[in-house]
């Protein structure tokens, strides 16, 4: 773990009463890197995601972003510092147009709605939603809504984008388009931390994978190495599949 | 392209508002009947009040059924300052607005943690507490109320006992100002933030929106204008007591036009007031004392009809027609 990491999670514990959802989790994301956070159901991915996004502070441990301790900062403050996120269950502003959704995000960097509108047009173009800009957000198809979430987060000009299962529920062709979008986001210099369930999608895309199991980091490293890791296979497929 | 069409739409809205303003301003030249003028004044006042309510309830999504409190504060502050200290109602009006904004923020500080229905209930209860306090506050006239001293008709004291026409123009200006403020807000950072807070606070926070501050700001602006309306009403009727300015009925009458016309829309409150207020006044007139409560039955029926037929309010009718025409 280098000192220059963009995001650093240091020894995070999250307990809910007697239940330990994260135990001593440490991980880092470098600038411009795509990191996958994977693990079977109940591994503590979402809990960790919420700690990083600022929904709930950890019981113990700290989160560092851009060299500063952000463990106790609220979600809006983290957004201002450069952490953008999407939601697993899409949370679009349904009474507003697609463009207006994105403008809300852009307004964190400017107070001028004119400037925010220009920024929104640019981001929508990038995300392939320009032709839907004036449509009400509620009329979008599910994959378009996912795109809107990404666009909205990008409008806040993040240094790190947190993606919470953006590929879940997409058809293979939609997922491929999603993968292209994530690659394009990285090409802009934005680091990506993606929680994902579907291994086939994540592995070819990420530079590094962190596998959580039972709340703790089971393995991390290059995707090719991780998928061959005995413990990872065991956790995903069960002990008896271990060859 | 989208930016220019957006600007064009906003300019059109402003143009339409100007035309309506001029037409309404000319109405008194045709309408000489005092009774009709009265209804027009009330209609404009409720259009403005409902627009003020709409800022918090419609745009920011914090449904308040306690706006009678701010209305009452406005009415009492201008009246008390004038009758007790001889301070002109204009100052009382401004001060009432500021006090109401402060109280709205204090209430918000405590109650914005409450979600959905709980916030609505809290606003009702707090307004009722205000009503009880004024009922028992001897210095403020308690249940007997306060009468404004009968003076010369003048803009200085904002009293027009003989010819009510100036009140009409004030109410029109009041409606115009609240409309313009809303129009301005629609294309401002606050406007976007408020709608984001209404639609999904959690997503809003993730996009850097200060949700709590947004609600506080909306509450303050909304309460300020509501209190200004209260001061106006006190001058207009020249006699106030807790029952005539602070009851739950006023809270309803501020919320209903917006709900009827289209909640969180620019034209909804005015459209709602245009239909609701004459109806209220007419049922009151025709039913007289025996019809007490009939207007409430009418409101109830209206809400049911709206909820079933057009949940987005009457403004939605225009949108639908536009879309099918396009």
């Amino acid at each position: 773990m280098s000192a220059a990491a963009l995001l650093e999670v240091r020894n995070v514990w999250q307990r809910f009463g007697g239940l330990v959802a994260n135990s001593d989790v440490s991980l880092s994301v470098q600038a411009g890197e795509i990191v996958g956070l994977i693990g079977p159901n109940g591994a503590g991915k979402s809990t960790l995601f919420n700690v990083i996004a600022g929904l709930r502070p950890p019981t113990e441990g700290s989160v560092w972003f851009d060299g500063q301790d952000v463990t106790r900062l609220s979600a809006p403050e983290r957004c201002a510092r450069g952490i953008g996120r999407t939601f697993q269950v899409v949370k679009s502003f349904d009474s507003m147009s697609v463009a207006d959704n994105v403008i809300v995000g852009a307004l964190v960097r400017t107070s001028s709605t004119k400037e925010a509108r220009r920024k929104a047009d640019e981001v929508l173009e990038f995300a392939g939603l320009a032709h839907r800009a004036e449509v009400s957000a509620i009329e979008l198809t599910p994959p378009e809504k996912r795109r809107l979430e990404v666009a909205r987060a990008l409008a806040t000009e993040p240094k790190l984008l947190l993606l919470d299962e953006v590929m879940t529920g997409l058809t293979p062709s939609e997922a491929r388009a999603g993968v292209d979008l994530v690659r394009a986001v990285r090409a802009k210099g934005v680091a990506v931390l993606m929680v994902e369930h579907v291994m086939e999608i994540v592995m070819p895309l990420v530079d590094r994978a962190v596998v959580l199991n039972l709340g703790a980091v089971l393995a991390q490293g290059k995707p090719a190495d991780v998928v061959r890791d005995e413990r990872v296979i065991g956790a995903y497929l069960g002990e008896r599949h271990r060859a | 392209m989208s930016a220019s069409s957006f600007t064009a739409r906003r300019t059109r809205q402003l143009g339409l508002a100007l035309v309506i303003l001029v037409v309404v301003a000319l109405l008194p030249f045709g309408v000489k009947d005092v009774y009709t003028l009265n209804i027009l004044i009330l209609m404009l006042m409720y259009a403005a009040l409902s627009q003020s309510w709409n800022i918090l309830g419609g745009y920011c999504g914090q449904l308040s059924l306690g706006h009678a409190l701010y209305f009452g504060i406005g009415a009492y502050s201008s009246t008390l300052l004038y009758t007790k200290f001889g301070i002109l109602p204009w100052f009382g009006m401004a001060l009432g607005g500021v006090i109401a904004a402060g109280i709205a923020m204090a209430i918000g500080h405590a109650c914005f943690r409450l979600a959905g229905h709980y916030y609505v209930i809290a606003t009702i209860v707090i307004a009722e507490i205000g009503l009880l306090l004024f009922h028992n506050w001897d210095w403020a006239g308690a249940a007997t109320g306060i009468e404004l001293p009968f003076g010369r008709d003048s803009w200085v004291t904002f009293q027009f006992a003989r010819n009510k026409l100036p009140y009409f123009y004030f109410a029109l200006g009041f409606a115009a100002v609240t409309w313009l403020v809303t129009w301005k807000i629609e294309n401002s950072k606050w406007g976007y933030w408020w709608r984001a807070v209404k639609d999904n606070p959690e997503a809003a926070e993730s996009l850097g929106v200060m949700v709590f501050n947004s609600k506080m700001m909306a509450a303050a602006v909304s309460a300020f204008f509501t209190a200004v309306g209260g001061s106006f009403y006190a001058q207009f009727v020249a006699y106030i007591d807790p029952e005539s300015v602070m009851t739950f009925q006023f809270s309803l009458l501020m919320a209903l036009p917006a709900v009827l016309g289209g909640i969180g829309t620019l034209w909804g409150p005015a459209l709602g007031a245009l239909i609701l207020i004459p109806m209220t006044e007419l049922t009151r007139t025709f039913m007289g004392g025996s019809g007490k409560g009939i207007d409430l039955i009418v409101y109830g029926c209206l809400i049911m009809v709206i909820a079933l037929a057009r949940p987005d309010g009457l403004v939605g009718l225009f949108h639908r027609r536009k879309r099918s025409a396009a």
Side-chain angles (χ1 to χ4, degrees):
Chain A
M1 209 176 285
S2 90
L6 181 63
L7 174 79
E8 245 185 273
V9 175
R10 293 185 189 165
N11 309 100
V12 161
W13 289 78
Q14 187 67 283
R15 297 190 186 88
F16 300 106
L19 180 83
V20 182
N22 289 143
S23 59
D24 203 26
V25 175
S26 295
L27 63 86
S28 70
V29 179
Q30 308 291 327
E33 195 181 23
I34 304 181
V35 175
L37 184 59
I38 58 175
N41 280 329
K45 301 187 297 286
S46 292
T47 307
L48 186 64
F49 193 89
N50 286 339
V51 167
I52 299 170
L55 243 63
R56 185 180 288 112
T59 322
E60 268 175 62
S62 57
V63 179
W64 292 69
F65 183 73
D66 228 1
Q68 281 171 314
D69 186 354
V70 297
T71 317
R72 303 280 149 192
L73 289 189
S74 68
E77 284 168 323
R78 285 180 207 222
C79 173
R81 302 252 173 140
I83 303 181
R85 73 163 294 183
T86 66
F87 291 88
Q88 186 179 349
V89 179
V90 175
K91 294 185 192 293
S92 47
F93 304 129
D94 285 340
S95 77
M96 301 163 74
S97 74
V98 170
D100 285 352
N101 267 262
V102 181
I103 287 173
V104 172
L107 280 169
V108 77
R109 300 283 165 225
T110 171
S111 290
S112 148
T113 53
K114 203 174 163 194
E115 174 62 22
R117 187 164 289 275
R118 198 196 54 70
K119 175 84 192 165
D121 285 346
E122 185 189 307
V123 173
L124 284 171
E125 186 69 43
F126 173 80
L129 281 174
H131 62 295
R132 305 286 270 164
E134 296 308 314
V135 168
S136 171
I138 204 167
E139 293 173 38
L140 293 184
T141 63
E144 282 177 334
K145 280 197 172 187
R146 292 273 163 86
R147 265 171 197 275
L148 174 58
E149 288 237 322
V150 175
R152 211 168 52 171
L154 282 178
T156 69
E157 295 177 5
K159 293 174 192 157
L160 171 68
L161 182 60
L162 306 172
L163 301 176
D164 196 356
E165 306 218 3
V166 278
M167 307 293 181
T168 306
L170 300 187
T171 66
S173 70
E174 287 163 0
R176 271 196 297 281
V179 165
D180 290 342
L181 182 61
V182 174
R183 288 220 169 92
V185 168
R186 190 255 292 274
K188 282 166 92 94
V190 179
V192 177
L193 176 65
M194 52 193 308
V195 170
E196 206 56 66
H197 208 72
V198 200
M199 283 268 227
E200 309 87 278
I201 297 170
V202 190
M203 288 310 180
L205 178 59
V206 301
D207 302 316
R208 224 148 41 76
V210 178
V211 186
L212 283 187
N213 189 37
L214 302 173
V217 176
L218 186 66
Q220 58 177 314
K222 289 207 167 15
D225 300 336
V226 166
V227 288
R228 258 181 251 119
D229 191 301
E230 288 281 302
R231 292 162 304 170
V232 175
I233 296 167
Y236 259 88
L237 302 175
E239 291 298 319
R240 67 196 171 81
H241 281 274
R242 209 184 280 216
Chain B
M1 192 217 121
S2 75
S4 66
S5 76
F6 173 79
T7 314
R9 193 166 69 228
R10 278 179 60 76
T11 314
R12 264 204 311 279
Q13 299 272 27
L14 195 61
L16 178 63
L18 260 175
V19 171
I20 292 175
L21 181 70
V22 170
V23 170
V24 177
L26 294 175
L27 277 182
F29 292 96
V31 179
K32 297 289 177 199
D33 169 39
V34 178
Y35 175 71
T36 315
L37 188 68
N38 242 3
I39 292 185
L40 283 175
I41 292 172
L42 286 175
M43 217 159 77
L44 289 167
M45 181 185 84
Y46 278 110
L49 286 171
S50 192
Q51 191 68 278
S52 315
W53 180 90
N54 194 33
I55 288 173
L56 179 64
Y59 283 91
C60 197
Q62 306 304 302
L63 298 181
S64 158
L65 283 179
H67 263 49
L69 178 66
Y70 312 133
F71 188 75
I73 286 170
Y76 269 100
S77 68
S78 62
T79 308
L80 281 173
L81 283 180
Y82 186 61
T83 54
K84 304 279 181 185
F85 307 108
I87 296 169
L88 291 177
W90 299 108
F91 296 102
M93 186 181 268
L95 185 70
V98 173
I99 293 174
I103 289 180
M105 287 170 83
I107 294 173
H109 194 81
C111 295
F112 279 143
R113 285 163 237 280
L114 300 172
H117 306 313
Y118 293 100
Y119 176 73
V120 182
I121 292 165
T123 59
I124 297 175
V125 171
I126 292 168
E128 287 300 307
I129 292 172
L131 175 67
L132 286 175
L133 286 178
F134 274 92
H135 250 298
N136 294 291
W137 189 10
D138 288 327
W139 185 74
T144 330
I146 326 170
E147 205 163 335
L148 277 172
F150 192 64
R152 248 172 3 97
D153 280 11
S154 154
W155 277 105
V156 177
T157 53
F158 198 29
Q159 268 192 19
F160 303 96
R162 291 154 196 91
N163 177 7
K164 301 260 180 194
L165 193 59
Y167 286 130
F168 172 85
Y169 285 108
F170 181 89
L172 178 60
F174 183 34
V177 167
T178 51
W179 186 93
L180 197 66
V181 166
T182 314
W183 180 82
K184 200 79 190 135
I185 284 170
E186 272 207 336
N187 187 33
S188 74
K189 186 169 190 161
W190 287 112
Y192 279 99
W193 278 18
W194 290 346
R195 278 181 287 158
V197 167
K198 173 174 80 172
D199 277 4
N200 197 314
E202 208 185 331
E205 285 208 312
S206 81
L207 297 171
V209 174
M210 309 297 270
V211 170
F212 184 72
N213 295 359
S214 297
K215 291 178 182 176
M216 292 290 257
M217 185 69 181
V221 174
S222 178
F224 177 88
F225 284 111
T226 306
V228 167
S231 297
F232 163 77
Y233 186 73
Q235 295 298 123
F236 177 58
V237 297
Y239 164 78
I240 58 167
D241 66 0
E243 292 298 321
S244 68
V245 293
M246 242 187 207
T247 50
F248 182 63
Q249 180 115 348
F250 283 97
S251 296
L252 266 185
L253 274 172
M254 284 179 239
L256 274 180
V259 174
L260 181 70
I263 193 164
T265 62
L266 201 48
W267 292 101
L271 192 61
L274 178 71
I275 294 165
L276 197 68
I277 302 307
M279 213 154 76
T280 309
E281 290 304 311
L282 289 177
T283 45
R284 234 185 242 163
T285 314
F286 287 125
M287 295 301 191
S290 61
K292 195 166 166 35
I294 293 267
D295 47 350
L296 290 176
I297 296 175
V298 174
Y299 300 158
C301 292
L302 270 175
I303 290 177
M304 282 192 279
V305 170
I306 285 290
L308 290 171
R310 286 236 61 91
D312 50 351
L314 294 173
V315 167
L317 288 175
F318 293 90
H319 288 292
R320 172 160 294 187
R321 193 175 313 152
K322 241 186 246 167
R323 193 169 297 159
S324 58

